[in-house]
Amino acid sequence: MKVGDKVLISPDLTLQKEWLPGIIIQVENNPFVGIVISAETEDHNVFFGREDLFKLAKEEV
């Protein structure tokens, strides 16, 4: 995952019922927990957490 990728953000972070779409704004290699992703949603909320709480959004054709 890299900055600018479209992702889905886990309900564990957002406290919503479904995965929310967002765009990665920062990728950090944290020595204590590993890769930490920060992603922003359309309504400008920013969520961050371990890499496993995000998944790449698939483009529909």
Side-chain angles (χ1 to χ4, degrees):
M1 289 189 210
K2 61 186 182 310
V3 173
D5 283 351
K6 293 182 180 182
V7 292
L8 297 175
I9 306 166
S10 172
D12 293 337
L13 282 180
T14 63
L15 302 178
Q16 302 294 319
K17 293 181 180 181
E18 297 181 9
W19 290 69
L20 293 180
I23 297 178
I24 295 178
I25 57 172
Q26 183 178 16
V27 178
E28 174 188 348
N29 189 1
N30 184 302
F32 299 104
V33 295
I35 303 295
V36 174
I37 304 290
S38 298
E40 184 176 14
T41 60
E42 286 182 356
D43 55 358
H44 303 289
N45 288 326
V46 175
F47 297 96
F48 63 93
R50 294 183 325 270
E51 188 176 28
D52 62 339
L53 296 171
F54 299 86
K55 59 184 176 182
L56 287 173
K58 302 202 188 243
E59 296 289 330
E60 292 186 20
V61 177

